Structures are given as structure tokens and as C-alpha cells.
Amino acid sequence: MKVLIVKTSSMGDVIHTFPAVEDARRNRPDVSFDWCVEEAFAGIVALHPAIATIHTVAIRRWRKSPLGRGTWREAAGLRRALRDCRYDLVIDAQGLLKSALVAKQAAAPIAGFDGSSAREPSAALFYDRRYAVPRDLHAIERTRRLFGLALGYEPDFSGIESGIVPPAGGSIFVGEKPTFLLHGTSREDKKWPASDWIETARLLVERGMTPVTTWSNDREKAVAEAVAEAVPQTVLVPKSPLAEIAAIIGRSVLVIGADTGLTHLASAFGLPTVAVFLATEPGLTGPRGPFSSTLLAAPGGRLIPAAVVAEAEKLLRLKSLAAT
């Protein structure tokens, strides 16, 4: 059986789908999987060994020129590629109108959330098989349930495995006991103040660890440079391709991150990961992993670096105990 997964974005949503793929690998070894994803996240999907072919969409880029010749040419090429693969089933794991329209291009039966379960109920109108999955569950569990219903098995929720390992590479030396500080995130209200990242770096150095940080835009660069200037032991990784950053994260002993996709990636790698949530509710979308923890600021309050580092030390002890 040949199945296409449609989960185009964002990075965290893509990573949240991996445990469902692992369930399917164990319960339906007769199924092979391809994936359709936003071009920026193709490298993330490639981390999972069960994915044979990766089709890319560029919806974010196409929106800037919806009537452009290049847009129509690329969209037509995707349509041909999906139909040429002759899928037995498409699973739209995103539940949005845009993902349903992408799924429709494959000209195969589509399975997805029903109207009461999908993030955009209108998406369910495009599905041939609709499944009710409670919306008050974590995104990972919702996706695992959807795959189980679509492929005919009951997931084992006693554990969670992503099935991915860090990529090879990461040639930049990041010191002894590297701890990646992932301060960058898409929304201003999700960002921990630079002063708190600086204090966190200081506390880590006191504990014999090496803070590591990087940046992807000018605002993030300013924060990263401020941390490196205030705490000279910090390794400042220049703006780099996603695969390089993923490899460096994979070599870290600890990750402390804001509500961002790379924090979810660290958790999926099974690394001790502390997620700092300031403005969003982590209950349904926060990182999930054997050594992951999410700290949520109280309304109108703040998270202090000492509390974050204390949580990190607890996770490191758990990881050490698990290894013995």
C-alpha cells in the first residue's frame, strides 16, 4: 500500500507527525510513505528513514505571485508528480483548506479529520474518509489517532518515539558539554528578553557547560551577539543551513529553547530539552519527549533563568539515570 502524507508546515507540526509514522511502521509494515511538505521543511522530513519520496510545495512563495507563470508551472509540476505516483491513499494530517487542496491533486482517496475535528472544518469537504478525533488532545496524539483510524490499528500510547536521529555533519566545534540556546521565534511576545538569555548563559558556564547560539535574521543576530559579548565562553554559530543547525543541536547535551520549531526538533531527538513558553499554551502543541519539559510563564509574570536552569539540571539527571 502506497500512502502520501500531506503536512506542509510548520516545522513543529511536521515534527509532531513523526510518532504517527513510527506507529504505522510497526503496525502496518506493508505500507510505504511519501510526504508533501513546504519546501523550507523538506530537510526535516528527510530525517525520517521511512519516507521514500518528498514532494515540495511553495505555498508561502506562491502567494506572493499567485498569477505568475512560474507559480502555475510549479503547481502543475507538483500535480503531475503526485498523480504519477498513483497513491492508494492520501492522509491529510493538517486539516486546513490549503492542505486539503494539495491532497486533492494526487487524485486518490483522501483520509482526514471530520468537520468537527479539523482545524478548518471546510477542509473535511474534500475528504473521502472522515474521522472524529477530539480537538482537546495534544497534536501528536491527534495525529497518531488519525493514522490509526485511517490505516486500521490502535496506537500504543504508553510511549512515544519520533524515529529520527540527528543528521551527520555539524563541522563547527561547539566546545565541551554544548548547550544550545534557541532564542529565535516568530512572534515578539514569545521571546524571552536578551537579558534572560545572557543570565542563562552565565549560569550554564558556572556549571561547566558551553552555551551555543545562532541566528537567522537581523533581530536574532543582535540577541545572539549580545549573549556572546556578555558571556565570552558562548559559541556563536553563524547563520547556517537548517541541516547544519540540526546536526549541531544533535551533538548538544542540552537544549533550552523558546516556542520554536527547532526546540521541537531537539525534543524529537530525545535530548534533554527545556521549552520556555511565554505567550502560548503548550498543552496541545508543546514539545513531547522522554526528556522534555515545558515551563509556562504565569499571566503577567515571567520565568527567571535560575528556574529554567534548575529544570535543565533535573532533565540531565534523568537522562543520566536512564543511561545507567
Side-chain angles (χ1 to χ4, degrees):
M1 184 177 184
K2 194 172 184 180
V3 174
L4 173 68
I5 300 167
V6 175
K7 191 63 162 274
T8 61
S9 62
S10 59
M11 187 190 301
D13 290 340
V14 169
I15 293 166
H16 284 161
T17 306
F18 288 151
V21 177
E22 281 300 285
D23 291 341
R25 289 180 73 184
R26 288 191 295 269
N27 290 279
R28 290 293 306 270
D30 59 310
V31 175
S32 64
F33 289 102
D34 291 352
W35 197 311
C36 189
V37 68
E38 188 73 29
E39 57 186 1
F41 307 123
I44 297 297
V45 172
L47 294 174
H48 202 294
I51 307 304
T53 299
I54 301 172
H55 303 278
T56 60
V57 295
I59 296 172
R60 297 179 178 185
R61 179 163 51 80
W62 293 345
R63 282 173 176 166
K64 297 177 182 179
S65 181
L67 301 179
R69 181 177 298 178
T71 298
W72 283 90
R73 183 172 58 251
E74 291 181 19
L78 172 66
R79 180 185 177 94
R80 286 194 300 273
L82 294 179
R83 295 195 173 201
D84 287 348
C85 287
R86 300 183 180 278
Y87 292 107
D88 298 298
L89 180 68
V90 179
I91 299 178
D92 179 2
Q94 198 152 12
L96 298 177
L97 184 58
K98 68 175 183 180
S99 59
L101 290 172
V102 170
K104 197 71 175 176
Q105 305 311 303
I110 306 172
F113 298 107
D114 69 7
S116 64
S117 307
R119 290 165 61 187
E120 293 181 355
S122 57
L125 298 174
F126 292 85
Y127 305 152
D128 302 282
R129 306 174 190 174
R130 305 175 183 90
Y131 300 103
V133 178
R135 296 190 63 169
D136 59 350
L137 301 176
H138 191 279
I140 292 175
E141 184 175 345
R142 274 172 49 83
T143 308
R144 294 177 73 182
R145 288 180 183 272
L146 175 63
F147 272 55
L149 290 167
L151 297 174
Y153 61 84
E154 178 66 29
D156 179 3
F157 293 109
S158 63
I160 180 172
E161 296 180 16
S162 70
I164 64 172
V165 296
S171 58
I172 298 172
F173 178 69
V174 289
E176 299 296 327
K177 297 183 179 180
T179 297
F180 218 123
L181 304 181
L182 297 169
H183 58 86
T185 188
S186 58
R187 283 170 37 187
E188 288 299 315
D189 59 351
K190 291 182 179 182
K191 293 181 179 180
W192 216 20
S195 58
D196 286 341
W197 287 111
I198 290 170
E199 178 61 18
T200 298
R202 287 189 178 127
L203 292 171
L204 292 170
V205 169
E206 289 176 3
R207 288 157 175 77
M209 307 184 79
T210 303
V212 180
T213 193
T214 190
W215 52 278
S216 63
N217 57 48
D218 288 342
R219 285 191 175 185
E220 292 178 11
K221 183 179 181 182
V223 174
E225 290 179 341
V227 174
E229 181 178 356
V231 186
Q233 297 91 337
T234 300
V235 176
L236 180 55
V237 177
K239 183 178 179 179
S240 304
L242 181 57
E244 175 78 6
I245 297 302
I248 296 173
I249 288 174
R251 300 201 331 259
S252 301
V253 298
L254 171 69
V255 173
I256 299 174
D259 179 8
T260 184
L262 290 173
T263 304
H264 293 282
L265 183 63
S267 177
F269 284 154
L271 298 171
T273 304
V274 180
V276 177
F277 274 62
L278 303 180
T280 48
E281 172 56 53
L284 302 183
T285 59
R288 287 282 181 91
F291 305 106
S292 297
S293 182
T294 301
L295 298 182
L296 175 64
R302 62 185 291 263
L303 288 172
I304 62 172
V308 173
V309 172
E311 185 70 14
E313 289 182 306
K314 183 178 77 174
L315 294 177
L316 288 169
R317 288 193 294 270
L318 287 174
K319 178 80 169 182
S320 178
L321 288 172
T324 59

